[in-house]
Amino acid sequence: MSVLEIRNLHVSVDTDTDGPREILRGVDLTVRKGETHAIMGPNGSGKSTLSYSIAGHPKYTVTEGTVTLDGEDVLAMSVDARARAGIFLAMQYPVEVPGVSVSNFLRSSVTAVRGEAPKLRTWVKEVKESMAGLEMDPAFAERSVNEGFSGGEKKRHEILQMKLLAPKIAILDETDSGLDVDALRIVSAGIEAVRVKGETGILLITHYTRILRYVKPEFVHVMAGGRIVDAGGPELAATLEESGYDRYVKTTEPAAIS
């Protein structure tokens, strides 16, 4: 069974004015194959820092702690090695890649992760079926990656990548941000299509509970001040919907940068 284990993770980021600043201050978390975990918390609590640190963003420096996937040291891996090992990050702000078509990007990504190019006939069918499930026009595949995409199109493209790459662990960093009701429903359905297969552990980072009405986590964690300060089941999300994060913010120091 695939398992991502995070132990006592401390992460700093360089600031323009104050030098290194510690954002994560001892995070412990375990995500197993088939589990869905939601991490919730206010702005500046460290949620995005956690996701980028796991993925290997060079802006963030791990100063203490460990991250392992199936016992292997993730922090010792390059960014591309982490992807090949089975870690996927759906970014909050996907970047544009002018001149690279979606179809070429997807096939190159899958080839790199699987270790061989997919057979063309089965690949075309796989892509079309995955796009249809996300209500994406087939012509979308010939557009440049994220260039001129709406917010909803960018997020659908992120979930399309996840469906095709079939990662061991998928980290979804505020995938619901900026989505209208229809786009949220479609994106959530794409996440659910991966979740119900039971092959991927999902770490869903969000401020709000609205996506949790579609994607049901077994575990909900609250992050504040760079730490996980509370944990429970889906009922915790309902409590947060009613009472917000004030009681956590008042008892922890803010991490200041997410």
Side-chain angles (χ1 to χ4, degrees):
M1 176 181 289
S2 296
V3 57
L4 177 74
E5 292 188 280
I6 302 166
R7 293 290 175 265
N8 192 35
L9 188 65
H10 292 249
V11 174
S12 295
V13 61
D14 285 327
T15 64
D16 293 333
T17 56
D18 302 324
R21 177 176 295 177
E22 187 175 53
I23 306 302
L24 299 187
R25 303 174 179 180
V27 173
D28 293 289
L29 183 66
T30 300
V31 181
R32 296 179 177 84
K33 171 183 174 180
E35 294 179 348
T36 300
H37 293 247
I39 292 189
M40 306 183 69
N43 282 324
S45 59
K47 302 185 303 297
S48 291
T49 295
L50 176 62
S51 67
Y52 287 125
S53 298
I54 297 169
H57 195 297
K59 176 182 177 181
Y60 302 94
T61 302
V62 175
T63 57
E64 189 175 346
T66 61
V67 180
T68 61
L69 178 62
D70 298 339
E72 297 293 324
D73 183 2
V74 170
L75 301 180
M77 300 177 186
S78 62
V79 173
D80 59 310
R82 297 182 198 204
R84 288 195 299 272
I87 294 175
F88 172 81
L89 171 64
M91 294 184 287
Q92 183 178 359
Y93 303 109
V95 298
E96 295 184 2
V97 189
V100 178
S101 70
V102 167
S103 60
N104 285 338
F105 173 78
L106 291 173
R107 195 160 192 262
S108 296
S109 299
V110 168
T111 298
V113 168
R114 296 181 185 177
E116 61 180 6
K119 294 181 179 179
L120 190 58
R121 180 179 297 180
T122 56
W123 170 247
V124 170
K125 180 181 179 183
E126 189 177 358
V127 172
K128 285 184 176 179
E129 288 178 350
S130 295
M131 291 180 69
L134 290 163
E135 299 184 28
M136 299 169 73
D137 189 317
F140 184 92
E142 301 312 314
R143 296 171 63 182
S144 291
V145 173
N146 291 325
E147 189 173 33
F149 287 15
S150 68
E153 287 174 332
K154 288 180 179 179
K155 297 304 175 74
R156 281 191 241 187
H157 181 222
E158 294 289 286
I159 302 307
L160 176 62
Q161 294 172 50
M162 179 177 70
K163 292 178 74 173
L164 293 170
L165 290 169
K168 294 178 179 178
I169 301 292
I171 305 163
L172 310 181
D173 186 17
E174 298 194 34
T175 299
D176 54 334
S177 66
L179 298 182
D180 60 27
V181 173
D182 290 331
L184 177 64
R185 173 185 56 80
I186 294 166
V187 165
S188 297
I191 297 170
E192 273 292 284
V194 173
R195 190 187 72 83
V196 297
K197 291 181 179 179
E199 297 297 320
T200 300
I202 296 175
L203 186 57
L204 179 63
I205 295 171
T206 184
H207 285 294
Y208 308 109
T209 59
R210 61 179 194 151
I211 193 171
L212 305 185
R213 298 167 191 161
Y214 299 96
V215 181
K216 304 294 185 181
E218 293 92 358
F219 308 94
V220 176
H221 311 270
V222 180
M223 181 171 278
R227 301 182 181 93
I228 292 176
V229 296
D230 202 358
E235 71 283 351
L236 179 55
T239 300
L240 293 171
E241 177 81 358
E242 295 178 1
S243 60
Y245 300 114
D246 281 353
R247 67 189 178 100
Y248 299 109
V249 173
K250 291 176 181 176
T251 57
T252 59
E253 294 183 35
I257 301 175
S258 61

